[in-house]
Amino acid sequence: MKTRVLTGITTTGTPHLGNYVGAIRPAVAASWRDDVDAFYFMADYHALIKSDNPERIERSRLEIAATWLAAGLDPQKVTFYRQSDIPEIPELTWFLTCVTAKGLLNRAHAYKASVDKNTEAGEDPDAGITAGLYMYPVLMAADILAFNANKVPVGRDQIQHIEMARDIAQRFNHIYGREFFVLPEVVIEEQVATLPGLDGRKMSKSYDNTIPLFAGGQKHLRESIMRIVTDSRLPGEAKDPDSSSLFTIFRAFASEAESVAFRQALVDGIGWGEAKQVLFERIEVDVAPMRESYDALMARPAVIEEILQEGAKKARAIAAPKVAELRDAIGLRSGVAIAPQAAAKAAPKGGKAPRFASFRDTDGSFRFRLFSADGEELLLSKSFADPKAAGSLQKRIKELGAAAVLQVQALSMALELDGEHVAVTPTYTGEQARDEALTRLRGALDQLAAQE
Ligand code: TRP
């Protein structure tokens, strides 16, 4: 069994060294494991909550996609897509919104922090706060739950959001009476380094102290490294590696042996300028080849677009049946199913009606099919050793009618009874054909239930 690992990257900024070491590199490494089924996506709907600058959003989406691909993500192996290419996500967001307690969202850290800031400033508590910020955790829950993700690697600031996704999933499962959603688990990568930025604080866009990964090329990388703040010790004076940002950053790229050598050089009094050059060259060993693919991708956005469209297709193949199943469960069913009596009456008296046809399979077991009034095969039952058991399943299906639980799968559906798939539909040629068949199947079940 593969573990489905899913994470999103908000597309507001330009990737920096801290993003690379803290998120991109470990995620790409995990995606290569055989026991991992990775789903990585660009959270561009989330980006809209933070930025209303269209050029910035567009640029960041492109840069982030190119960065992940250049860093070694294999789009054949990983499902790599943009949130905004998956219409099932906003649809699911609404379903989840309707079961989410408003009080839960009141407690979200990000929203609360904004309220506190307003209150301190003597403003209206909700001044300048959009409903987008407020709904952030529900959108994030939909990102995760649409794909039945098992593990969600995130930074510490996101732990609460995963907890909320679990809460919301449980609430939905409870209300609609079935385990629709897998409960996701948060993964915090403890051993991954947090890089200091130019000023020694954690490297972060919000501190404006970042070292860009690719943007600006080799020249800009070198210039940024030369601006890392150090103490004022002169060449020849011993430096303390453990309080030096240079050493922390170096270690995040280097082998153990290289780190030992760099530590010694600092203790031996290497000048800061020279040490920065050593750091720059070490980072370049890793970054230069990736930068080359990054630049090639950035020069051909159409290639990136094609990869993302493929990814969206793969992602939707999972999210679409999931959402179809949910629509069915919450009562958003096709019009045919709404009026069972009318449908039954509409069938001409003494005319054709859906029917069961029992048969004996080659292995001697008993099964049956359900045919529509037009003779289309709608369902094939599982095998029974005892013909009476097959008969009583027919009776139960008749009693249930359109209330029968239908599990929508990629290109087929299954009728579920007591948690077991007891009959399956044929395989359809596409999602649309499947959805149309769902309507016919529901109609036929209605008619069955209405029969004497
Ligand atoms: N909110 C996350 C962040 O800012 C990004 C994100 C959006 C995400 N949807 C997600 C992460 C789903 C994990 C799963 O870091």
Side-chain angles (χ1 to χ4, degrees), residues 39 59 126 138 196 216 333-334 390:
F39 279 59
R59 176 130 202 103
D126 278 328
V138 188
R333 297 173 190 155
S334 90

Side-chain angles (χ1 to χ4, degrees), residues 410-421:
L411 291 177
S412 64
M413 292 161 286
L415 192 144
E416 189 186 291
L417 211 60
D418 306 327
E420 191 200 350
H421 289 179

Side-chain angles (χ1 to χ4, degrees), residues 228-234 237-240 243-244 272 276:
I228 297 174
V229 172
T230 60
D231 62 28
S232 54
R233 273 171 234 209
L234 298 171
E237 285 184 71
K239 317 284 187 297
D240 174 18
S243 65
S244 159
W272 284 125
K276 287 175 176 177

Side-chain angles (χ1 to χ4, degrees), residues 8 17 31 104 110 113 121 141 151-152 165 191 205 214 217 226 282 300 302 310 331 393 405 435 439 441 447:
L17 280 189
S31 78
L104 181 81
K151 306 249 168 188
V152 184
Q191 69 288 23
K205 199 176 43 179
F214 301 133
M226 292 301 159
R282 181 59 192 84
R300 294 167 68 203
E310 276 305 305
L393 175 59
V405 174
D435 293 344
T439 304
L441 175 54
Q447 279 182 280

Side-chain angles (χ1 to χ4, degrees), residues 394-441:
Q394 289 183 11
K395 203 164 148 237
R396 280 194 70 189
I397 291 177
K398 229 183 125 178
E399 282 162 6
L400 282 168
V405 174
L406 294 169
Q407 292 266 17
V408 178
Q409 291 155 350
L411 291 177
S412 64
M413 292 161 286
L415 192 144
E416 189 186 291
L417 211 60
D418 306 327
E420 191 200 350
H421 289 179
V422 293
V424 292
T425 67
T427 301
Y428 299 100
T429 49
E431 281 162 26
Q432 199 187 334
R434 178 204 62 204
D435 293 344
E436 286 163 7
L438 175 62
T439 304
R440 293 194 298 278
L441 175 54

Side-chain angles (χ1 to χ4, degrees), residues 331-344:
L332 301 180
R333 297 173 190 155
S334 90
V336 179
I338 296 172
Q341 308 310 335

Side-chain angles (χ1 to χ4, degrees), residues 35 64 202 260 322 430:
D35 56 346
I64 290 177
K202 178 183 169 195
V260 168
K322 177 103 215 153

Side-chain angles (χ1 to χ4, degrees), residues 114-128:
S114 299
V115 169
D116 290 349
K117 218 164 122 196
N118 280 333
T119 314
E120 262 165 49
E123 305 245 20
D124 180 89
D126 278 328

